[in-house]
Amino acid sequence: MKTEVDNATEISELKSKLDLMHRDIKRMMKNSNKEYLDLMLKNLKKDFLNCITDHVSEDIETSLERGMVDKCQMRDNCKSKFTELLEKNVDLIKQDEVPETQVTGSRGELENLRAEAPFDKCDVCFSEVTDIFEKQLKLMRSLHIYNGPEEKKIDISDISEDSLVREVFEPLSNRQRLQIIKAVAVETKTFTALSQLTGLRGGNLLFHIQKLLDSNMIIQRHERGDYMITEKGYQVLKVISQLGGVLEDAPEPEAVES
């Protein structure tokens, strides 16, 4: 027959097992949320880059058509070569990282074409192509996929505390505003949809939306239009995701026995 001591021991063991199960379930839920957010960010990045590359390709055609010399027997041939060269950079934009060797190679191709140019007026066309090329590199830097030698490293002492608090921390220091930016990262949302999501109505919701608009985290397509995330908002959300991973990996503090 079990004694009270035996029963107490079994109860204690059951409590320990329940606590362990609770921690396992909690950890599993955290991992599930992180996997969902990672997948969401991956899909968002893919859609974002597709929009960017489509725009860059259109910019190549428009800029060359506008900037190259009109009356030249070599115009079509040169335009074809320029387009082929610049489209290589468009493909690079889709990569997670752009090696300096690839940029150097493309720059070398451009210099070789310039060396073969037969006319003085070729300077006009090559000036336009160079501008497009450098603009593409600037875009790669802004996407943090290319860190060329011309880019200066950020000195942490140069970071403005006031600007960081005003433009990042303060706009996101609210549960509803985090809900909003996470929601519009997945798809565009109407005011009504955001109201249903946050439980806020009218002026209260508008106050929080305006905070995100003012900080350029989100934009509104047009008056009374849907809300969508900006590049800045996307980059900040990536940092938040990474921070969430750090917090989840941190060991839980052990209870101190009294």
Side-chain angles (χ1 to χ4, degrees):
M1 185 173 181
K2 292 184 178 180
T3 65
E4 291 184 3
V5 174
D6 293 332
N7 289 333
T9 301
E10 288 186 2
I11 291 173
S12 177
E13 290 176 352
L14 286 173
K15 288 179 64 178
S16 297
K17 290 180 180 179
L18 286 173
D19 288 340
L20 182 60
M21 289 175 61
H22 175 72
R23 287 197 294 269
D24 288 342
I25 292 173
K26 185 178 179 182
R27 190 178 298 109
M28 183 177 65
M29 291 178 65
K30 286 182 177 179
N31 290 337
S32 177
N33 289 336
K34 186 176 185 300
E35 289 173 1
Y36 171 75
L37 183 57
D38 288 342
L39 179 61
M40 179 186 73
L41 289 172
K42 182 178 179 181
N43 291 334
L44 177 63
K45 179 181 179 181
K46 181 180 178 181
D47 293 340
F48 177 74
L49 288 179
N50 284 338
C51 291
I52 290 292
T53 51
D54 287 346
H55 171 74
V56 174
S57 293
E58 291 175 5
D59 182 64
I60 292 172
E61 172 64 26
T62 303
S63 298
L64 290 179
E65 188 64 31
R66 181 189 63 240
M68 291 181 67
V69 175
D70 285 329
K71 296 180 180 180
C72 178
Q73 66 269 32
M74 297 184 64
R75 189 179 195 276
D76 291 342
N77 183 50
C78 289
K79 183 181 177 183
S80 176
K81 291 182 178 180
F82 292 153
T83 300
E84 181 181 358
L85 173 67
L86 295 169
E87 283 290 347
K88 290 181 181 179
N89 283 349
V90 177
D91 292 334
L92 294 179
I93 292 172
K94 297 180 180 180
Q95 298 181 181
D96 292 331
E97 183 177 358
V98 178
E100 176 61 26
T101 53
Q102 289 184 283
V103 174
T104 301
S106 295
R107 199 185 294 276
E109 288 184 43
L110 183 58
E111 291 173 355
N112 290 337
L113 289 174
R114 180 67 188 90
E116 298 171 359
F119 310 119
D120 290 339
K121 61 184 178 182
C122 292
D123 288 341
V124 175
C125 297
F126 276 94
S127 176
E128 182 65 34
V129 175
T130 301
D131 286 345
I132 300 172
F133 188 91
E134 294 301 329
K135 187 162 59 174
Q136 290 177 334
L137 294 187
K138 184 177 180 181
L139 174 61
M140 293 179 195
R141 290 190 179 98
S142 71
L143 294 173
H144 305 291
I145 59 175
Y146 172 62
N147 185 22
E150 297 178 5
E151 186 177 18
K152 296 181 180 179
K153 292 185 178 180
I154 297 175
D155 186 348
I156 193 170
S157 63
D158 292 336
I159 297 177
S160 168
E161 296 89 349
D162 292 339
S163 176
L164 198 59
V165 170
R166 182 178 63 254
E167 297 183 15
V168 178
F169 294 150
E170 198 277 333
L172 295 178
S173 61
N174 175 274
R175 181 173 177 272
Q176 282 84 5
R177 292 200 285 272
L178 275 173
Q179 284 182 313
I180 292 171
I181 194 171
K182 285 173 61 179
V184 299
V186 180
E187 60 182 358
T188 60
K189 294 289 185 181
T190 64
F191 187 89
T192 301
L194 293 177
S195 178
Q196 294 173 346
L197 172 69
T198 61
L200 299 175
R201 301 287 184 271
N204 287 333
L205 176 58
L206 190 59
F207 169 81
H208 292 290
I209 289 177
Q210 194 61 49
K211 285 280 188 181
L212 296 173
L213 289 171
D214 291 343
S215 61
N216 197 31
M217 297 282 189
I218 65 173
I219 58 173
Q220 190 174 18
R221 284 183 167 179
H222 50 78
E223 187 177 359
R224 298 183 181 278
D226 292 357
Y227 297 92
M228 61 186 295
I229 198 167
T230 63
E231 180 186 348
K232 175 184 175 181
Y234 169 73
Q235 295 295 341
V236 170
L237 198 58
K238 281 180 61 178
V239 174
I240 292 175
S241 175
Q242 294 169 356
L243 178 60
V246 172
L247 295 176
E248 289 174 3
D249 293 338
E252 295 184 4
E254 296 182 0
V256 179
E257 295 183 0
S258 57

